[in-house]
PDB file of all heavy atoms in Angstrom:
ATOM      1  N   GLN V 104      -2.289  -5.833 -20.621  1.00  0.00           N
ATOM      2  CA  GLN V 104      -2.890  -5.585 -19.301  1.00  0.00           C
ATOM      3  C   GLN V 104      -3.210  -4.102 -19.085  1.00  0.00           C
ATOM      4  O   GLN V 104      -4.174  -3.776 -18.388  1.00  0.00           O
ATOM      5  CB  GLN V 104      -1.949  -6.027 -18.169  1.00  0.00           C
ATOM      6  CG  GLN V 104      -1.544  -7.477 -18.230  1.00  0.00           C
ATOM      7  CD  GLN V 104      -0.177  -7.642 -18.869  1.00  0.00           C
ATOM      8  OE1 GLN V 104       0.204  -6.852 -19.718  1.00  0.00           O
ATOM      9  NE2 GLN V 104       0.551  -8.658 -18.459  1.00  0.00           N
ATOM     10  N   THR V 105      -2.380  -3.217 -19.638  1.00  0.00           N
ATOM     11  CA  THR V 105      -2.655  -1.795 -19.413  1.00  0.00           C
ATOM     12  C   THR V 105      -3.743  -1.305 -20.369  1.00  0.00           C
ATOM     13  O   THR V 105      -4.539  -0.444 -20.006  1.00  0.00           O
ATOM     14  CB  THR V 105      -1.382  -0.932 -19.569  1.00  0.00           C
ATOM     15  OG1 THR V 105      -0.898  -1.049 -20.907  1.00  0.00           O
ATOM     16  CG2 THR V 105      -0.303  -1.360 -18.600  1.00  0.00           C
TER      17      THR V 105
ATOM     18  N   HIS W  25      -4.369  -1.293  -2.896  1.00  0.00           N
ATOM     19  CA  HIS W  25      -4.583  -1.819  -4.245  1.00  0.00           C
ATOM     20  C   HIS W  25      -5.036  -3.274  -4.189  1.00  0.00           C
ATOM     21  O   HIS W  25      -4.933  -3.948  -3.166  1.00  0.00           O
ATOM     22  CB  HIS W  25      -3.372  -1.596  -5.163  1.00  0.00           C
ATOM     23  CG  HIS W  25      -2.072  -2.194  -4.714  1.00  0.00           C
ATOM     24  ND1 HIS W  25      -1.870  -3.552  -4.628  1.00  0.00           N
ATOM     25  CD2 HIS W  25      -0.906  -1.600  -4.358  1.00  0.00           C
ATOM     26  CE1 HIS W  25      -0.627  -3.774  -4.247  1.00  0.00           C
ATOM     27  NE2 HIS W  25      -0.027  -2.614  -4.054  1.00  0.00           N
ATOM     28  N   ALA W  27      -3.956  -6.022  -5.451  1.00  0.00           N
ATOM     29  CA  ALA W  27      -2.982  -7.094  -5.194  1.00  0.00           C
ATOM     30  C   ALA W  27      -2.765  -7.265  -3.686  1.00  0.00           C
ATOM     31  O   ALA W  27      -2.741  -8.392  -3.175  1.00  0.00           O
ATOM     32  CB  ALA W  27      -1.667  -6.790  -5.908  1.00  0.00           C
ATOM     33  N   THR W  39      -0.802 -14.316  -6.059  1.00  0.00           N
ATOM     34  CA  THR W  39      -0.564 -13.092  -6.831  1.00  0.00           C
ATOM     35  C   THR W  39       0.657 -12.393  -6.255  1.00  0.00           C
ATOM     36  O   THR W  39       0.701 -12.102  -5.062  1.00  0.00           O
ATOM     37  CB  THR W  39      -1.798 -12.166  -6.760  1.00  0.00           C
ATOM     38  OG1 THR W  39      -2.913 -12.873  -7.308  1.00  0.00           O
ATOM     39  CG2 THR W  39      -1.564 -10.886  -7.539  1.00  0.00           C
ATOM     40  N   HIS W  40       1.644 -12.150  -7.081  1.00  0.00           N
ATOM     41  CA  HIS W  40       2.895 -11.571  -6.584  1.00  0.00           C
ATOM     42  C   HIS W  40       2.952 -10.065  -6.806  1.00  0.00           C
ATOM     43  O   HIS W  40       2.343  -9.557  -7.739  1.00  0.00           O
ATOM     44  CB  HIS W  40       4.085 -12.248  -7.250  1.00  0.00           C
ATOM     45  CG  HIS W  40       4.239 -13.677  -6.822  1.00  0.00           C
ATOM     46  ND1 HIS W  40       5.056 -14.574  -7.470  1.00  0.00           N
ATOM     47  CD2 HIS W  40       3.667 -14.375  -5.800  1.00  0.00           C
ATOM     48  CE1 HIS W  40       4.983 -15.752  -6.861  1.00  0.00           C
ATOM     49  NE2 HIS W  40       4.143 -15.653  -5.848  1.00  0.00           N
ATOM     50  N   VAL W  41       3.689  -9.418  -5.934  1.00  0.00           N
ATOM     51  CA  VAL W  41       3.838  -7.973  -6.030  1.00  0.00           C
ATOM     52  C   VAL W  41       5.308  -7.668  -6.267  1.00  0.00           C
ATOM     53  O   VAL W  41       6.145  -7.984  -5.427  1.00  0.00           O
ATOM     54  CB  VAL W  41       3.328  -7.295  -4.745  1.00  0.00           C
ATOM     55  CG1 VAL W  41       3.648  -5.820  -4.773  1.00  0.00           C
ATOM     56  CG2 VAL W  41       1.824  -7.484  -4.609  1.00  0.00           C
ATOM     57  N   GLY W  42       5.609  -7.110  -7.427  1.00  0.00           N
ATOM     58  CA  GLY W  42       6.999  -6.805  -7.748  1.00  0.00           C
ATOM     59  C   GLY W  42       7.285  -5.339  -7.572  1.00  0.00           C
ATOM     60  O   GLY W  42       7.868  -4.898  -6.594  1.00  0.00           O
ATOM     61  N   CYS W  43       6.844  -4.539  -8.539  1.00  0.00           N
ATOM     62  CA  CYS W  43       7.215  -3.123  -8.565  1.00  0.00           C
ATOM     63  C   CYS W  43       6.199  -2.242  -7.862  1.00  0.00           C
ATOM     64  O   CYS W  43       6.531  -1.161  -7.413  1.00  0.00           O
ATOM     65  CB  CYS W  43       7.337  -2.679 -10.015  1.00  0.00           C
ATOM     66  SG  CYS W  43       5.757  -2.757 -10.898  1.00  0.00           S
ATOM     67  N   GLU W  44       4.954  -2.676  -7.836  1.00  0.00           N
ATOM     68  CA  GLU W  44       3.848  -1.888  -7.289  1.00  0.00           C
ATOM     69  C   GLU W  44       3.630  -0.561  -8.005  1.00  0.00           C
ATOM     70  O   GLU W  44       3.007   0.331  -7.464  1.00  0.00           O
ATOM     71  CB  GLU W  44       4.037  -1.614  -5.792  1.00  0.00           C
ATOM     72  CG  GLU W  44       3.465  -2.700  -4.915  1.00  0.00           C
ATOM     73  CD  GLU W  44       3.431  -2.303  -3.445  1.00  0.00           C
ATOM     74  OE1 GLU W  44       4.499  -2.356  -2.795  1.00  0.00           O
ATOM     75  OE2 GLU W  44       2.361  -1.925  -2.984  1.00  0.00           O
ATOM     76  N   HIS W  45       4.151  -0.404  -9.210  1.00  0.00           N
ATOM     77  CA  HIS W  45       3.738   0.758  -9.996  1.00  0.00           C
ATOM     78  C   HIS W  45       3.557   0.446 -11.477  1.00  0.00           C
ATOM     79  O   HIS W  45       3.750   1.308 -12.330  1.00  0.00           O
ATOM     80  CB  HIS W  45       4.630   1.985  -9.765  1.00  0.00           C
ATOM     81  CG  HIS W  45       6.085   1.757 -10.032  1.00  0.00           C
ATOM     82  ND1 HIS W  45       7.006   1.646  -9.025  1.00  0.00           N
ATOM     83  CD2 HIS W  45       6.755   1.612 -11.190  1.00  0.00           C
ATOM     84  CE1 HIS W  45       8.202   1.455  -9.561  1.00  0.00           C
ATOM     85  NE2 HIS W  45       8.084   1.421 -10.873  1.00  0.00           N
ATOM     86  N   GLY W  46       3.182  -0.796 -11.755  1.00  0.00           N
ATOM     87  CA  GLY W  46       2.684  -1.069 -13.094  1.00  0.00           C
ATOM     88  C   GLY W  46       3.708  -1.354 -14.169  1.00  0.00           C
ATOM     89  O   GLY W  46       3.388  -1.205 -15.341  1.00  0.00           O
ATOM     90  N   VAL W  47       4.912  -1.774 -13.810  1.00  0.00           N
ATOM     91  CA  VAL W  47       5.854  -2.055 -14.887  1.00  0.00           C
ATOM     92  C   VAL W  47       6.271  -3.525 -15.007  1.00  0.00           C
ATOM     93  O   VAL W  47       6.772  -3.928 -16.050  1.00  0.00           O
ATOM     94  CB  VAL W  47       7.142  -1.175 -14.807  1.00  0.00           C
ATOM     95  CG1 VAL W  47       6.804   0.282 -14.967  1.00  0.00           C
ATOM     96  CG2 VAL W  47       7.905  -1.435 -13.542  1.00  0.00           C
ATOM     97  N   CYS W  48       6.044  -4.346 -13.992  1.00  0.00           N
ATOM     98  CA  CYS W  48       6.625  -5.701 -14.049  1.00  0.00           C
ATOM     99  C   CYS W  48       5.639  -6.787 -14.434  1.00  0.00           C
ATOM    100  O   CYS W  48       6.028  -7.845 -14.918  1.00  0.00           O
ATOM    101  CB  CYS W  48       7.292  -6.043 -12.721  1.00  0.00           C
ATOM    102  SG  CYS W  48       6.128  -6.415 -11.384  1.00  0.00           S
ATOM    103  N   GLY W  49       4.357  -6.588 -14.189  1.00  0.00           N
ATOM    104  CA  GLY W  49       3.362  -7.578 -14.581  1.00  0.00           C
ATOM    105  C   GLY W  49       3.180  -8.738 -13.614  1.00  0.00           C
ATOM    106  O   GLY W  49       2.315  -9.594 -13.826  1.00  0.00           O
ATOM    107  N   ALA W  50       3.980  -8.795 -12.547  1.00  0.00           N
ATOM    108  CA  ALA W  50       3.898  -9.935 -11.620  1.00  0.00           C
ATOM    109  C   ALA W  50       2.522 -10.033 -10.965  1.00  0.00           C
ATOM    110  O   ALA W  50       2.062 -11.114 -10.619  1.00  0.00           O
ATOM    111  CB  ALA W  50       4.974  -9.803 -10.542  1.00  0.00           C
ATOM    112  N   CYS W  51       1.851  -8.904 -10.797  1.00  0.00           N
ATOM    113  CA  CYS W  51       0.595  -8.854 -10.057  1.00  0.00           C
ATOM    114  C   CYS W  51      -0.630  -9.114 -10.921  1.00  0.00           C
ATOM    115  O   CYS W  51      -1.755  -8.974 -10.457  1.00  0.00           O
ATOM    116  CB  CYS W  51       0.455  -7.474  -9.415  1.00  0.00           C
ATOM    117  SG  CYS W  51       0.294  -6.173 -10.655  1.00  0.00           S
ATOM    118  N   THR W  52      -0.416  -9.473 -12.196  1.00  0.00           N
ATOM    119  CA  THR W  52      -1.556  -9.611 -13.125  1.00  0.00           C
ATOM    120  C   THR W  52      -2.592 -10.623 -12.639  1.00  0.00           C
ATOM    121  O   THR W  52      -2.252 -11.741 -12.252  1.00  0.00           O
ATOM    122  CB  THR W  52      -1.054 -10.024 -14.523  1.00  0.00           C
ATOM    123  OG1 THR W  52      -0.051  -9.108 -14.940  1.00  0.00           O
ATOM    124  CG2 THR W  52      -2.198 -10.025 -15.538  1.00  0.00           C
ATOM    125  N   VAL W  60      -5.387  -7.724 -15.949  1.00  0.00           N
ATOM    126  CA  VAL W  60      -5.083  -6.352 -15.517  1.00  0.00           C
ATOM    127  C   VAL W  60      -3.999  -6.399 -14.443  1.00  0.00           C
ATOM    128  O   VAL W  60      -3.803  -7.410 -13.789  1.00  0.00           O
ATOM    129  CB  VAL W  60      -6.330  -5.617 -14.946  1.00  0.00           C
ATOM    130  CG1 VAL W  60      -7.469  -5.616 -15.951  1.00  0.00           C
ATOM    131  CG2 VAL W  60      -6.783  -6.224 -13.640  1.00  0.00           C
ATOM    132  N   ARG W  61      -3.325  -5.282 -14.273  1.00  0.00           N
ATOM    133  CA  ARG W  61      -2.314  -5.185 -13.230  1.00  0.00           C
ATOM    134  C   ARG W  61      -3.030  -4.861 -11.918  1.00  0.00           C
ATOM    135  O   ARG W  61      -3.619  -3.785 -11.779  1.00  0.00           O
ATOM    136  CB  ARG W  61      -1.327  -4.075 -13.567  1.00  0.00           C
ATOM    137  CG  ARG W  61      -0.586  -4.262 -14.901  1.00  0.00           C
ATOM    138  CD  ARG W  61       0.628  -3.376 -14.871  1.00  0.00           C
ATOM    139  NE  ARG W  61       1.396  -3.228 -16.079  1.00  0.00           N
ATOM    140  CZ  ARG W  61       2.024  -4.178 -16.759  1.00  0.00           C
ATOM    141  NH1 ARG W  61       1.881  -5.435 -16.405  1.00  0.00           N
ATOM    142  NH2 ARG W  61       2.771  -3.881 -17.798  1.00  0.00           N
ATOM    143  N   ALA W  62      -2.956  -5.800 -10.971  1.00  0.00           N
ATOM    144  CA  ALA W  62      -3.708  -5.624  -9.730  1.00  0.00           C
ATOM    145  C   ALA W  62      -3.121  -4.527  -8.848  1.00  0.00           C
ATOM    146  O   ALA W  62      -3.781  -4.054  -7.926  1.00  0.00           O
ATOM    147  CB  ALA W  62      -3.767  -6.944  -8.962  1.00  0.00           C
ATOM    148  N   CYS W  63      -1.897  -4.093  -9.130  1.00  0.00           N
ATOM    149  CA  CYS W  63      -1.326  -2.988  -8.344  1.00  0.00           C
ATOM    150  C   CYS W  63      -1.801  -1.646  -8.876  1.00  0.00           C
ATOM    151  O   CYS W  63      -1.564  -0.618  -8.253  1.00  0.00           O
ATOM    152  CB  CYS W  63       0.201  -3.048  -8.346  1.00  0.00           C
ATOM    153  SG  CYS W  63       0.947  -2.629  -9.932  1.00  0.00           S
ATOM    154  N   LEU W  64      -2.441  -1.647 -10.059  1.00  0.00           N
ATOM    155  CA  LEU W  64      -2.928  -0.387 -10.636  1.00  0.00           C
ATOM    156  C   LEU W  64      -4.440  -0.270 -10.512  1.00  0.00           C
ATOM    157  O   LEU W  64      -5.073   0.527 -11.196  1.00  0.00           O
ATOM    158  CB  LEU W  64      -2.507  -0.269 -12.109  1.00  0.00           C
ATOM    159  CG  LEU W  64      -1.008  -0.177 -12.375  1.00  0.00           C
ATOM    160  CD1 LEU W  64      -0.753   0.149 -13.844  1.00  0.00           C
ATOM    161  CD2 LEU W  64      -0.347   0.876 -11.490  1.00  0.00           C
ATOM    162  N   MET W  65      -5.009  -1.122  -9.669  1.00  0.00           N
ATOM    163  CA  MET W  65      -6.440  -1.062  -9.444  1.00  0.00           C
ATOM    164  C   MET W  65      -6.640  -1.025  -7.941  1.00  0.00           C
ATOM    165  O   MET W  65      -5.965  -1.767  -7.213  1.00  0.00           O
ATOM    166  CB  MET W  65      -7.045  -2.343 -10.015  1.00  0.00           C
ATOM    167  CG  MET W  65      -8.421  -2.161 -10.568  1.00  0.00           C
ATOM    168  SD  MET W  65      -9.012  -3.661 -11.326  1.00  0.00           S
ATOM    169  CE  MET W  65     -10.697  -3.560 -10.766  1.00  0.00           C
ATOM    170  N   PHE W 105       8.598 -16.221  -9.619  1.00  0.00           N
ATOM    171  CA  PHE W 105       8.020 -14.948  -9.185  1.00  0.00           C
ATOM    172  C   PHE W 105       7.113 -14.335 -10.255  1.00  0.00           C
ATOM    173  O   PHE W 105       6.046 -13.796  -9.945  1.00  0.00           O
ATOM    174  CB  PHE W 105       9.105 -13.938  -8.794  1.00  0.00           C
ATOM    175  CG  PHE W 105       8.567 -12.820  -7.948  1.00  0.00           C
ATOM    176  CD1 PHE W 105       8.423 -12.973  -6.583  1.00  0.00           C
ATOM    177  CD2 PHE W 105       8.133 -11.631  -8.524  1.00  0.00           C
ATOM    178  CE1 PHE W 105       7.872 -11.964  -5.797  1.00  0.00           C
ATOM    179  CE2 PHE W 105       7.581 -10.616  -7.749  1.00  0.00           C
ATOM    180  CZ  PHE W 105       7.453 -10.789  -6.388  1.00  0.00           C
ATOM    181  N   GLY W 135       4.539  -7.276 -21.441  1.00  0.00           N
ATOM    182  CA  GLY W 135       4.351  -6.497 -20.219  1.00  0.00           C
ATOM    183  C   GLY W 135       4.628  -7.293 -18.957  1.00  0.00           C
ATOM    184  O   GLY W 135       4.271  -6.857 -17.863  1.00  0.00           O
ATOM    185  N   ASN W 136       5.248  -8.444 -19.095  1.00  0.00           N
ATOM    186  CA  ASN W 136       5.572  -9.280 -17.936  1.00  0.00           C
ATOM    187  C   ASN W 136       7.073  -9.521 -17.922  1.00  0.00           C
ATOM    188  O   ASN W 136       7.625 -10.103 -18.853  1.00  0.00           O
ATOM    189  CB  ASN W 136       4.863 -10.637 -18.027  1.00  0.00           C
ATOM    190  CG  ASN W 136       3.357 -10.501 -17.993  1.00  0.00           C
ATOM    191  OD1 ASN W 136       2.738 -10.090 -18.974  1.00  0.00           O
ATOM    192  ND2 ASN W 136       2.755 -10.816 -16.871  1.00  0.00           N
ATOM    193  N   ILE W 137       7.712  -9.083 -16.853  1.00  0.00           N
ATOM    194  CA  ILE W 137       9.164  -9.204 -16.794  1.00  0.00           C
ATOM    195  C   ILE W 137       9.545 -10.499 -16.073  1.00  0.00           C
ATOM    196  O   ILE W 137       9.024 -10.800 -14.998  1.00  0.00           O
ATOM    197  CB  ILE W 137       9.779  -7.980 -16.084  1.00  0.00           C
ATOM    198  CG1 ILE W 137       9.570  -6.749 -16.963  1.00  0.00           C
ATOM    199  CG2 ILE W 137      11.255  -8.206 -15.798  1.00  0.00           C
ATOM    200  CD1 ILE W 137       9.988  -5.453 -16.301  1.00  0.00           C
TER     201      ILE W 137
HETATM  202  S1  FES R 301       3.561  -5.240  -9.115  1.00  0.00           S
HETATM  203 FE1  FES R 301       2.006  -4.666 -10.442  1.00  0.00          FE
HETATM  204  S2  FES R 301       3.052  -4.390 -12.304  1.00  0.00           S
HETATM  205 FE2  FES R 301       4.656  -4.767 -10.906  1.00  0.00          FE
END
Side-chain angles (χ1 to χ4, degrees):
Chain V
Q104 302 98 330
T105 62
Chain W
H25 59 66
T39 300
H40 292 166
V41 173
C43 65
E44 272 190 282
H45 57 254
V47 297
C48 74
C51 65
T52 307
V60 304
R61 301 198 188 299
C63 71
L64 295 189
M65 213 176 141
F105 198 84
N136 297 75
I137 292 173

